[in-house]
Amino acid sequence: MSITLDAKIPSGPIEKKWDKHRFDLKLVNPANRRKYDVIVVGTGLAGASAAASLGELGYNVLSFCIQDSPRRAHSIAAQGGINAAKNYPNDSDSVWRLFYDTLKGGDYRAREANVYRLAQVSNAIIDHCTAQGVPFGREYGGLLANRSFGGAQVSRTFYCRGQTGQQLLLGAYGSLMRQACSGRVKVFARREMVELVVVKGRARGIVCRNLVTGKLESYAAHAVCLATGGYGNAFFLSTNANSCNASAIWRAYKKGALFANPCFTQIHPTCIPVSGTYQSKLTLMSESLRNDGRVWVPKKAGDKRSPDQIPEEERDYYLERRYPAFGNLVPRDVASRASKAVCDAGQGVGPTGLSVYLDFRDAIARDGLDSIRAKYGNLIDMYHHITDEDPHKLPMRIFPAVHYTMGGLWVDYNLMTTIPGLFCLGEANFSDHGANRLGASALMQGLADGYFVIPATLSGYLASEKQEALKADAPEFKEAEAQADARIRKLLSAEGKRTAVELHRELGKLMWEDCGMWRNESGLKRALERIPELREEFHKNVRVPGKNEEFNQSLERSGRVADYLECAELIVRDALERRESCGGHFREESRTPDGEALRDDEKFCHVAAWEYAGEGKAPELHKEPLAFEHCKPSQRSYK
Amino acid sequence: MSGMKLTLKIWRQKGPGAPGELRSYGVQDISPDMSFLEMLDVLNEQLIKLGEDPVAFDHDCREGICGMCSLVIDGRAHGKDSGKTSCDMRMRGYQDGDTIAIEPFRAKGFPVVKDLVVDRSAFDRIMQAGGYVSVNAGSAPEAHSLPVPYEKAEAAMDHAACIGCGACVAACPNASAMLFVSAKVSQLALLPQGGPERARRALSMLEQHDKEGFGNCTNEGECEKVCPKSVKISSIARLNREFLRASVLY
Ligand SMILES: Cc1cc2nc3c(=O)[nH]c(=O)nc-3n(C[C@H](O)[C@H](O)[C@H](O)COP(=O)(O)OP(=O)(O)OC[C@H]3O[C@@H](n4cnc5c(N)ncnc54)[C@H](O)[C@@H]3O)c2cc1C
Ligand code: FES
């Protein structure tokens, strides 16, 4: 297939592009909308907001999720907040500044026009969520409160205590339930999409596995939206929920959708460290802790003294030392790498040597215990509960963990993939965060995509493409069902000796070691050899109990692991190909003399979009060049 | 590794309507740092290797926010730690040789799907009856056009914290879901944005609650004891007031 990547960026000045585009897009007559069926897979912030808004417009929407209720999507776990350019605090924020910060934060690997639109619609998101009854934090005067988040120099983050994702999702879920009540949205919970159905080159439906009965079910539509979240669990341990998967976008990839920048993964610096091999997930400790906590390790490698026995002059406050201007508030990727570096040098603490201290001693002495507890009491208690260590007495121990994937399906300005009629929203697409996402910007992007972008662009697609009626018993559906069925049978018939979880853990370890925070040519090449071996071992030696025609969580898990074993290879291949450091992607070979990430704009100022070439064949790389007319790329510096 | 040895008595049930029973299993090498669900993972890995059917249980976020996990542990919804979900439970509270009984959230409105997994879709239907503000994307006024007193916003958030897990139902002798309903009704009644639909919301959510087969509240107070998000029973008192107010209006 020869593919030209056309991002379909509208012409005109950047501030006018989105308005102009919305005017240029064709409309579907309100009376005709009910004749169009739209599938939305996923009910996180992106999917729930899209399904609800499309229902509000009058389309017939089919909404799918893995959990037993749409309200439980992974977005529920987001803590810190959501950005918008309201400039309520009068600290000189603006659409332009949010645009600039997001583009720079992403290390100049995102599209200007998309990012500008994101900043532009951000304010309408806050208005809408407030109207839905989302209980944002407020000031005594009754107006909305803002905080500075993730080292931003303006206070543009809106929040609901430490449960912002939950509240935003419940708002979107409420809107979705309202549409379900009106009959315009049908919700299918406990369904996992296992195939995409492409008819005459267009996305026309999906095949799902009903997770209660095991039955494969086909659904036809005029367009399909994937809002299935990120693929961070390719690393096994991450801050993601257990069911997060690459499977939906991986099926789309194998049917012809290009996968962009798969190697761009975000590693969050403040997570509770790994404590044992049984561990099933890593818990995030909010970024806000770095506002008052100081990060340090003992100066001497292998120092086993209790932290309170280590005198001041024998402590290495390495973030403050290396980055005097930003100190403990450097961006996520920079902080994570610095922590890894000290642990590699043997200065790490805790039983495994893979953690660093986050210390509130000085903040407590300065502001008093009450004031620190007022800000972080719930986090301190959570840490205490999980680790059985009391942060009032001894510093917390933290370590970086995989948190977010900036990569995802390639989409144009309309959020359409390279398969016509297949749209991709939220964390599942690659669109707005470049090589590194800023704190509180994922929630903003998910809701921008769902509430405001998709209702316009999907309508434009439906209005301009005449499509024949199609039923879910067309041969293409039967064929897709047969493909899914064959994969399921293969998993069940291996009858080997190892569990999918064990093999997943092994994949995660390999990815973390060779394609984690610190990547180099030889490690990546090694991973490229090891992953196919592990995949072979999986298909030969996995043991999946039970049968398909029942509620079978082991089968669900093994299907997702099988896809991760393929997706991981693409992540590594992309990381190998991108011989520069940018954002969360750090190549040891591409460093400044003092060890910081060094971009190579001459060779790598592009989106790397991978095309599936068939079983056993190397995927084909397509490049979408990135042009910067408004923000000239500069080297990020936090010194 | 030398960890704890435990005996687990787990409810096994093949499917909806099938007979179920408590069956005993042994696990060993359980570290006190494990979460309760990680302990069940250990059991399941062991069962898969023995060629047996692993225990089905719902879970996802494993950090107390999605509301998926739903275990009755030694007779108490979400176990003995108050203010915590099942996934938040740690094994630190147990000792070598302990026996632990694990059952699903039981209620007429929550039929068993398999083993420890129940069907809570009734909660979605109650929400469909009115657990929202009817506002279309794009039509909202500027967020600051309606100030909300700080205390009201905070109180609304206390109610909004509900994760919809259903522990309140599992703990209630009447299998009532009033705490769940009252949390949403109260959140939206406290905010001006919820005002226009306030009466209709309370009436129709309660009507759906009854239709789903959940019982009445007789002030037993069991719900608030197990609520992992500390939603208080006073929320139900507010719901009752909302109901009275609405009944007068309609
Ligand atoms: C602990 C944590 C804290 C965070 N805090 C913040 C924060 O403070 N601010 C911020 O901006 N971002 C934060 N993030 C990131 C943010 O939460 C996510 O990026 C965002 O919520 C993703 O939303 P989504 O709608 O794209 O996908 P998700 O919320 O992941 O939803 C995916 C949906 O797709 C469904 N699905 C997946 N696969 C399939 C399939 N095969 N078939 C059918 N359905 C499927 C799922 O059931 C689910 O409904 C945080 C992330 C984590 C992990
Ligand atoms: S698994 Fe999400 S609350 Fe327990």
Side-chain angles (χ1 to χ4, degrees):
Chain A
M1 208 184 335
S2 87
I3 285 182
T4 35
L5 288 176
D6 177 3
K8 305 220 173 69
I9 306 291
S11 59
I14 194 157
E15 318 76 88
K16 303 242 165 72
K17 282 183 196 293
W18 179 230
D19 276 348
K20 173 180 180 301
H21 189 58
R22 281 193 300 168
F23 180 74
D24 289 343
L25 284 168
K26 287 201 180 129
L27 300 173
V28 179
N29 180 320
N32 280 340
R33 291 185 196 148
R34 79 174 82 88
K35 296 183 196 154
Y36 289 99
D37 300 323
V38 180
I39 285 172
V40 181
V41 189
T43 60
L45 286 181
S49 59
S53 314
L54 292 167
E56 287 161 12
L57 286 176
Y59 296 108
N60 236 334
V61 182
L62 312 174
S63 153
F64 297 84
C65 68
I66 287 180
Q67 294 82 0
D68 69 332
S69 161
R71 66 178 289 151
R72 306 200 202 283
H74 164 63
S75 293
I76 201 94
Q79 305 170 349
I82 176 167
N83 288 331
K86 286 279 195 187
N87 190 33
Y88 287 154
N90 194 27
D91 53 2
S92 297
D93 199 9
S94 61
V95 167
W96 194 267
R97 191 182 294 281
L98 177 55
F99 156 65
Y100 175 82
D101 287 355
T102 308
L103 210 63
K104 177 183 176 210
D107 222 355
Y108 303 96
R109 291 295 174 262
R111 268 184 215 136
E112 278 191 340
N114 284 57
V115 177
Y116 192 86
R117 173 178 64 190
L118 175 66
Q120 224 171 358
V121 303
S122 66
N123 292 341
I125 296 172
I126 301 303
D127 297 341
H128 185 54
C129 297
T130 304
Q132 286 173 328
V134 169
F136 283 121
R138 288 182 183 259
E139 305 289 355
Y140 282 109
L143 301 179
L144 296 173
N146 287 120
R147 61 175 158 218
S148 155
F149 195 69
Q153 284 166 314
V154 291
S155 294
R156 61 161 73 102
T157 304
F158 295 78
Y159 58 92
C160 307
R161 294 190 189 148
Q163 293 118 280
T164 317
Q166 179 200 24
Q167 295 309 316
L168 295 173
L169 184 60
L170 293 182
Y173 161 79
S175 293
L176 184 68
M177 290 298 100
R178 172 173 166 243
Q179 292 309 311
C181 177
S182 77
R184 279 192 291 257
V185 176
K186 274 206 198 70
V187 177
F188 299 87
R190 292 207 199 265
R191 300 294 200 294
E192 179 157 354
M193 169 184 155
V194 289
E195 265 306 336
L196 175 75
V197 181
V198 179
V199 179
K200 296 192 183 136
R202 291 175 188 281
R204 292 300 305 269
I206 60 170
V207 177
C208 288
R209 182 167 177 272
N210 179 324
L211 299 181
V212 176
T213 63
K215 226 171 110 31
L216 293 179
E217 304 170 341
S218 283
Y219 298 90
H222 295 90
V224 177
C225 300
L226 300 185
T228 50
Y231 50 90
N233 279 352
F235 291 79
F236 185 70
L237 282 179
S238 82
T239 60
N240 289 6
N242 216 269
S243 71
C244 290
N245 65 87
S247 296
I249 57 173
W250 196 249
R251 298 270 80 79
Y253 166 72
K254 291 184 95 172
K255 288 266 161 97
L258 265 53
F259 201 132
N261 300 334
C263 80
F264 287 170
T265 45
Q266 178 167 82
I267 309 224
H268 198 293
T270 54
C271 302
I272 298 182
V274 178
S275 66
T277 49
Y278 52 80
Q279 198 146 346
S280 59
K281 88 160 286 174
L282 294 172
T283 305
L284 175 75
M285 297 300 291
S286 169
E287 185 140 49
S288 61
L289 290 169
R290 286 196 282 145
N291 287 337
D292 285 296
R294 296 178 71 193
V295 178
W296 65 276
V297 288
K299 278 191 178 153
K300 201 166 78 216
D303 190 336
K304 292 279 172 224
R305 285 175 293 176
S306 164
D308 52 354
Q309 301 300 313
I310 301 179
E312 197 59 22
E313 60 282 3
E314 292 179 44
R315 299 176 174 201
D316 181 6
Y317 293 93
Y318 55 92
L319 290 179
E320 296 168 26
R321 171 172 58 78
R322 285 179 63 179
Y323 309 100
F326 279 70
N328 294 294
L329 291 174
V330 288
R332 291 178 179 175
D333 53 335
V334 178
S336 293
R337 278 194 296 275
S339 299
K340 178 182 160 32
V342 290
C343 291
D344 284 352
Q347 293 166 273
V349 298
T352 57
L354 288 177
S355 58
V356 300
Y357 292 127
L358 177 66
D359 200 340
F360 289 93
R361 186 194 64 182
D362 298 349
I364 292 174
R366 185 188 64 220
D367 300 340
L369 182 61
D370 289 348
S371 147
I372 294 302
R373 274 209 64 86
K375 284 196 222 167
Y376 311 111
N378 62 335
L379 292 167
I380 291 175
D381 296 343
M382 177 171 105
Y383 179 89
H384 192 170
H385 178 75
I386 293 179
T387 62
D388 206 23
E389 294 171 5
D390 184 359
H392 297 110
K393 300 199 182 114
L394 292 176
M396 287 183 183
R397 288 185 301 109
I398 52 161
F399 199 64
V402 173
H403 179 57
Y404 182 88
T405 49
M406 281 75 68
L409 291 188
W410 184 91
V411 288
D412 63 16
Y413 190 72
N414 295 317
L415 303 184
M416 192 158 89
T417 67
T418 46
I419 302 177
L422 180 70
F423 293 78
C424 189
L425 290 65
E427 191 173 340
N429 74 25
F430 88 107
S431 75
D432 296 351
H433 306 294
N436 176 50
R437 173 178 71 77
L438 292 183
S441 284
L443 303 184
M444 169 173 72
Q445 181 227 333
L447 292 180
D449 289 0
Y451 284 135
F452 298 112
V453 180
I454 269 294
T457 60
L458 190 96
S459 296
Y461 170 77
L462 293 174
S464 56
E465 307 283 335
K466 192 98 196 86
Q467 297 192 49
E468 303 153 20
L470 184 71
K471 286 227 174 84
D473 54 7
E476 288 87 351
F477 286 87
K478 294 285 155 233
E479 198 183 307
E481 280 181 28
Q483 287 170 342
D485 191 60
R487 276 201 313 277
I488 292 168
R489 303 285 152 210
K490 183 173 166 196
L491 291 170
L492 286 165
S493 64
E495 292 190 32
K497 293 202 166 55
R498 304 183 64 190
T499 68
V501 174
E502 262 172 27
L503 289 150
H504 191 182
R505 194 180 287 123
E506 204 170 314
L507 172 69
K509 188 160 178 287
L510 180 169
M511 289 295 285
W512 181 246
E513 281 166 3
D514 285 338
C515 193
M517 269 183 282
W518 195 276
R519 301 162 172 178
N520 61 39
E521 193 89 8
S522 67
L524 292 167
K525 285 190 168 147
R526 181 170 55 227
L528 267 191
E529 279 169 23
R530 284 169 64 196
I531 294 169
E533 288 165 14
L534 190 58
R535 196 162 57 226
E536 202 185 313
E537 160 75 1
F538 174 87
H539 286 292
K540 254 208 262 162
N541 208 10
V542 71
R543 175 164 203 139
V544 184
K547 51 186 199 293
N548 176 46
E549 295 73 18
E550 62 179 358
F551 188 91
N552 187 341
Q553 291 170 310
S554 309
L555 178 60
E556 291 170 29
R557 179 64 176 261
S558 58
R560 293 171 201 151
V561 176
D563 290 333
Y564 274 134
L565 281 161
E566 296 183 9
C567 179
E569 190 175 334
L570 191 69
I571 299 175
V572 172
R573 196 177 288 277
D574 186 45
L576 181 62
E577 200 63 38
R578 194 172 276 280
R579 291 178 174 82
E580 67 160 349
S581 298
C582 61
H585 170 67
F586 188 76
R587 283 291 302 260
E588 205 181 319
E589 302 89 344
S590 184
R591 281 186 283 177
T592 61
D594 49 359
E596 300 300 329
L598 182 65
R599 270 198 337 260
D600 182 347
D601 289 337
E602 222 155 90
K603 293 205 194 87
F604 296 99
C605 195
H606 60 245
V607 176
W610 295 88
E611 183 190 0
Y612 182 65
E615 214 59 59
K617 293 201 189 114
E620 195 181 331
L621 174 62
H622 302 264
K623 295 177 185 172
E624 179 200 334
L626 291 167
F628 294 94
E629 290 168 30
H630 300 90
C631 300
K632 283 288 157 238
S634 58
Q635 200 68 34
R636 290 191 306 162
S637 169
Y638 300 94
K639 298 261 169 194
Chain B
M1 188 163 98
S2 66
M4 292 180 273
K5 254 193 197 152
L6 302 167
T7 305
L8 307 173
K9 291 195 181 312
I10 302 181
W11 183 260
R12 302 302 310 259
Q13 180 174 339
K14 280 231 168 289
E21 58 170 358
L22 278 175
R23 223 175 288 162
S24 280
Y25 300 90
V27 282
Q28 42 204 352
D29 287 343
I30 298 303
S31 140
D33 286 331
M34 280 183 189
S35 73
F36 198 84
L37 300 191
E38 283 166 349
M39 182 274 294
L40 285 180
D41 291 343
V42 170
L43 171 68
N44 276 345
E45 291 287 287
Q46 185 178 311
L47 290 177
I48 294 173
K49 292 202 167 168
L50 290 171
E52 290 179 39
D53 194 20
V55 179
F57 64 95
D58 264 331
H59 62 93
D60 202 19
C61 73
R62 297 198 171 203
E63 55 183 63
I65 193 72
C66 73
M68 215 49 198
C69 60
S70 39
L71 304 176
V72 170
I73 303 168
D74 283 333
R76 194 180 145 113
H78 287 318
K80 59 190 169 191
D81 296 352
S82 51
K84 299 270 179 246
T85 52
S86 311
C87 62
D88 265 341
M89 284 262 292
R90 300 281 134 181
M91 295 312 292
R92 226 168 271 129
Y94 292 97
Q95 278 168 12
D96 194 37
D98 278 355
T99 298
I100 311 172
I102 312 172
E103 292 170 86
F105 278 8
R106 288 183 200 283
K108 189 170 153 219
F110 289 168
V112 170
V113 173
K114 183 181 180 183
D115 298 339
L116 303 170
V117 175
V118 298
D119 177 354
R120 288 170 288 186
S121 55
F123 272 16
D124 285 337
R125 291 187 294 273
I126 293 176
M127 283 298 184
Q128 286 173 23
Y132 44 76
V133 173
S134 299
V135 52
N136 284 0
S139 62
E142 210 289 329
H144 272 176
S145 59
L146 263 182
V148 180
Y150 174 82
E151 294 75 16
K152 288 244 166 155
E154 289 296 303
M157 182 61 214
D158 290 340
H159 295 282
C162 167
I163 57 173
C165 61
C168 46
V169 176
C172 175
N174 310 325
S176 169
M178 286 290 198
L179 195 66
F180 168 74
V181 175
S182 68
K184 191 43 96 188
V185 167
S186 300
Q187 175 204 339
L188 295 177
L190 279 159
L191 296 170
Q193 288 82 5
E197 295 169 288
R198 190 169 158 188
R200 202 183 56 189
R201 176 179 307 115
L203 291 179
S204 51
M205 287 182 78
L206 276 173
E207 190 187 321
Q208 190 65 33
H209 168 274
D210 296 350
K211 255 195 226 161
E212 297 290 347
F214 295 111
N216 248 324
C217 170
T218 49
N219 275 315
E220 308 291 330
E222 295 300 319
C223 53
E224 78 170 9
K225 285 190 206 150
V226 299
C227 175
K229 298 295 145 182
S230 309
V231 177
K232 296 281 174 280
I233 195 167
S234 54
S235 182
I236 300 183
R238 179 184 289 277
L239 173 65
N240 289 333
R241 289 200 299 278
E242 289 296 318
F243 178 73
L244 283 177
R245 181 180 170 277
S247 310
V248 173
L249 284 175
Y250 274 77

